[in-house]
């Protein structure tokens, strides 16, 4: 599965306004909602579900990245967006370092295979220092979109050459 199949690029935020984990999740869910990525009137319950999941186990995987995600009953098609923070956010990451790149993923309850495919794609790229560095340097949503589309087509960007 490629980024272009599930990322709502219009909802990407290159400079998150929020400074704490829960507010970042709410900001990204709100952006997805306002750009048509979520069913209407479900953003509060989706944000609440993601925060609940974060409270059970942090998705801050270290190296400045976090992938908050949830499967939700209101979702028909898998969707994700990205938020960047120059200052960094305490996501209770495994390495205790602040998170600068957040990829938020929301999946339907009844399609675990698509959820796993999207997660596999996200982690494949985030494991690569080159990709993480380029993502963190993006200054606007267009640069985020361009990077992800390039990553879809260029395996060297994710270090798989």
């Amino acid at each position: 599965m490629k980024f272009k199949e599930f990322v709502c690029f219009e909802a990407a935020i290159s400079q998150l306004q929020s400074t704490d984990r829960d507010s970042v999740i709410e900001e990204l869910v709100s952006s997805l909602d306002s750009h048509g990525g979520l069913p209407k009137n479900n953003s509060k319950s989706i944000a609440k579900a993601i925060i609940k999941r974060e409270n059970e186990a942090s998705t801050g995987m270290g190296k400045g990245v976090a992938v908050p995600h949830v499967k939700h009953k209101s979702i028909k098609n898998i969707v994700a967006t990205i938020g960047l923070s120059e200052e960094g956010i305490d996501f209770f990451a495994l390495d205790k370092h602040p998170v600068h790149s957040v990829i938020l993923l929301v999946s339907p309850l009844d399609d675990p295979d698509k959820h796993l495919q999207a997660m596999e794609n996200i982690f494949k790229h985030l494991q690569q220092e080159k990709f993480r560095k380029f993502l963190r340097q993006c200054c606007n949503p267009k640069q985020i979109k361009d990077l992800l589309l390039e990553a879809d087509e260029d395996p060297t960007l994710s270090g798989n050459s």
Side-chain angles (χ1 to χ4, degrees):
M1 179 176 281
K2 296 184 177 211
F3 285 121
K4 66 183 174 193
E5 296 175 58
F6 64 93
V7 174
C8 179
F9 297 111
E10 300 77 23
I13 302 172
S14 58
Q15 296 175 351
L16 288 162
Q17 300 304 304
S18 303
T19 57
D20 65 89
R21 182 196 72 185
D22 292 359
S23 297
V24 164
I25 290 168
E26 290 166 355
E27 184 177 347
L28 287 169
V29 169
S30 176
S31 184
L32 266 177
D33 187 42
S34 64
H35 288 90
L38 299 175
K40 289 290 173 215
N41 303 317
N42 283 289
S43 61
K44 282 191 174 33
S45 72
I46 291 169
K48 187 175 175 182
I50 295 170
I51 291 167
K52 180 179 186 262
R53 196 230 163 276
E54 279 297 320
N55 288 333
E56 293 167 3
S58 173
T59 59
M61 59 183 265
K63 299 184 181 176
V65 296
V67 187
H69 59 277
V70 73
K71 295 176 193 153
H72 196 272
K73 63 185 177 195
S74 72
I75 299 297
K76 301 295 177 231
N77 297 305
I78 191 166
V79 65
T81 196
I82 296 173
L84 304 176
S85 169
E86 197 173 319
E87 298 79 30
I89 302 134
D90 184 0
F91 241 86
F92 309 99
L94 297 173
D95 64 2
K96 311 279 191 242
H97 288 102
V99 163
H100 297 278
S101 304
V102 180
I103 301 180
L104 182 131
L105 178 70
V106 188
S107 303
L109 278 175
D110 60 357
D111 201 345
D113 287 345
K114 277 238 174 27
H115 179 80
L116 289 174
Q117 289 170 15
M119 292 291 282
E120 184 179 313
N121 181 55
I122 291 166
F123 286 122
K124 174 181 77 173
H125 291 290
L126 287 177
Q127 287 174 347
Q128 305 305 322
E129 184 178 350
K130 188 176 179 183
F131 179 82
R132 290 191 311 270
K133 179 181 164 199
F134 286 148
L135 181 58
R136 196 168 161 186
Q137 292 173 348
C138 291
C139 298
N140 58 54
K142 183 185 180 325
Q143 288 180 348
I144 294 170
K145 179 180 181 178
D146 290 347
L147 174 67
L148 296 186
L149 293 177
E150 184 180 342
D152 278 347
E153 304 306 323
D154 182 1
T156 64
L157 188 58
S158 62
N160 294 330
S161 58

